[in-house]
Amino acid sequence: MKIFDLKKELNAFTQEQRKKDCSIGLVPTMGALHTGHISLVKKALSENDLVVVSIFVNPTQFDKKDDLDKYPRTFEKDIELLKQVSDNIVVFAPTVDEIYGENVTSQSYEFDGLDKVMEGEFRTGHFDGVGTIVELFLRTVAPDRAYFGEKDFQQLQIIRKMAEIKNLPFQIIGCPIEREPNGLAMSSRNERLSKETREEAGFIHTTLQTAKADFGTKSAISIVDWVKSEFDQHPLFDLEYFEIADENTLTPALKIQDNQKYRAFIAVYADGVRLIDNLRLN
Ligand code: PAF
């Protein structure tokens, strides 16, 4: 398996592949790969001749140093896992210095307000960091298609907006959330949960499912209040936010419109680990 750590070399390689009429998929990751990532890689392999998987824990999208320090890094294991999936994968694993040099900062983006709510409200600068690194990966690889999980649905919408604003002619593809058997959305952060909390964390998805069942018969405000009270009573989880929002604008749904699509979005702390999830409501 080819592993690149320099932008210039990866870019030369992908250009050469393109000359051979080879289509390219990009799967950006921060490593600690799990079944969720592998499903993105498999989808990318099914739609492209070659797939570039980037593995880079991007410092500028973390607002807390502690969260960045504790982010799991399992490079050798990740490579072994990818080797088992296909030979048509190349890995891009740059150093922070290669990406940022001495200036480890983000660009500023105007995402039409998509970054002002939910994750953007609670994680200052997070989406500027995501935009900066994803734009750099897209420009370096110039893929036909780039794949992102819907677990980070707000991120997916923001990346679509960034591609539109920056006129990047790459297809941005959202892929369904992969879940553990109890419904917990797969995430590299799940590794940091105790066994008991991880088992109990199916509660997050179950609550979203009840919210979905009630959507349409109860008001958005009463569903939000009910979810808050469920978490108030739970000894293991601290709710950071629960929102019912329009899928496109991500603005909170005060009045439900027949022709709009809505999703429920949630962020919860468990064992000091921040977990997010979302579910389409209609
Ligand atoms: O979703 C992630 O893992 C990261 O935000 C991404 C898209 C790889 C950018 O660092």
Side-chain angles (χ1 to χ4, degrees):
M1 174 176 285
K2 277 193 196 312
I3 302 178
F4 293 93
D5 54 7
L6 300 179
K7 290 175 277 190
K8 229 168 120 182
E9 287 182 5
L10 175 67
N11 180 263
F13 175 78
T14 52
Q15 281 193 35
E16 195 186 299
Q17 297 303 310
R18 195 166 302 288
K19 279 187 203 142
K20 294 185 204 157
D21 261 350
C22 188
S23 60
I24 301 174
L26 169 67
V27 181
T29 82
M30 297 204 295
L33 302 182
H34 51 67
T35 314
H37 295 114
I38 298 303
S39 75
L40 300 185
V41 173
K42 286 187 175 161
K43 182 160 170 62
L45 283 163
S46 73
E47 297 178 348
N48 302 276
D49 300 311
L50 176 78
V51 171
V52 177
V53 177
S54 62
I55 297 180
F56 179 67
V57 182
N58 174 34
T60 62
Q61 70 187 75
F62 287 81
D63 61 337
K64 294 192 176 85
K65 189 176 176 307
D66 183 54
D67 197 23
L68 171 62
D69 292 344
K70 286 192 181 145
Y71 201 86
R73 288 151 171 96
T74 57
F75 187 70
E76 304 301 327
K77 213 169 129 207
D78 294 345
I79 298 298
E80 282 317 306
L81 203 59
L82 292 172
K83 277 185 185 161
Q84 285 164 28
V85 178
S86 168
D87 292 336
N88 294 336
I89 298 174
V90 302
V91 169
F92 180 44
T95 59
V96 172
D97 192 46
E98 167 65 9
I99 296 296
Y100 290 104
E102 285 179 2
N103 189 17
V104 188
T105 52
S106 314
Q107 292 183 50
S108 288
Y109 291 87
E110 181 46 69
F111 293 122
D112 279 355
L114 294 176
D115 57 329
K116 301 288 181 264
V117 291
M118 300 188 286
E119 293 303 286
E121 192 182 334
F122 288 94
R123 302 180 72 188
T124 315
H126 171 66
F127 287 119
D128 279 341
V130 170
T132 303
I133 195 66
V134 173
E135 182 178 356
L136 184 143
F137 288 154
L138 288 170
R139 290 191 190 280
T140 305
V141 176
D144 295 271
R145 301 169 194 85
Y147 298 81
F148 298 87
E150 285 186 352
K151 184 174 83 67
D152 298 290
F153 191 82
Q154 185 175 9
Q155 165 175 284
L156 171 64
Q157 296 298 58
I158 281 175
I159 289 168
R160 287 191 168 125
K161 176 63 70 184
M162 191 261 293
E164 182 193 314
I165 292 169
K166 297 276 177 170
N167 283 320
L168 300 176
F170 316 119
Q171 222 182 306
I172 306 296
I173 298 180
C175 304
I177 300 175
E178 293 286 323
R179 296 185 180 279
E180 299 194 0
N182 66 356
L184 175 65
M186 286 194 181
S187 164
S188 307
R189 292 170 192 262
N190 296 353
E191 297 301 321
R192 291 171 50 206
L193 300 174
S194 70
K195 192 164 172 286
E196 186 207 355
T197 306
R198 193 161 173 167
E199 275 164 16
E200 271 295 309
F203 179 74
I204 300 168
H205 182 54
T206 314
T207 309
L208 290 180
Q209 282 177 311
T210 309
K212 180 176 173 130
D214 287 347
F215 187 78
T217 57
K218 295 187 180 161
S219 69
I221 292 174
S222 69
I223 297 173
V224 171
D225 287 345
W226 174 78
V227 171
K228 284 182 180 162
S229 73
E230 285 296 285
F231 278 92
D232 277 348
Q233 291 164 45
H234 203 293
L236 293 181
F237 305 119
D238 284 327
L239 183 67
E240 187 169 66
Y241 66 75
F242 172 78
E243 299 274 5
I244 292 181
D246 180 299
E247 238 185 48
N248 292 317
T249 62
L250 302 180
T251 50
L254 300 174
K255 200 162 177 299
I256 307 302
Q257 314 279 346
D258 283 347
N259 52 350
Q260 304 288 359
K261 291 263 174 264
Y262 296 95
R263 261 180 200 255
F265 296 86
I266 195 164
V268 170
Y269 276 94
D271 292 345
V273 181
R274 194 167 180 281
L275 303 171
I276 60 168
D277 199 350
N278 67 82
L279 192 66
R280 177 179 264 188
L281 296 176
N282 63 340

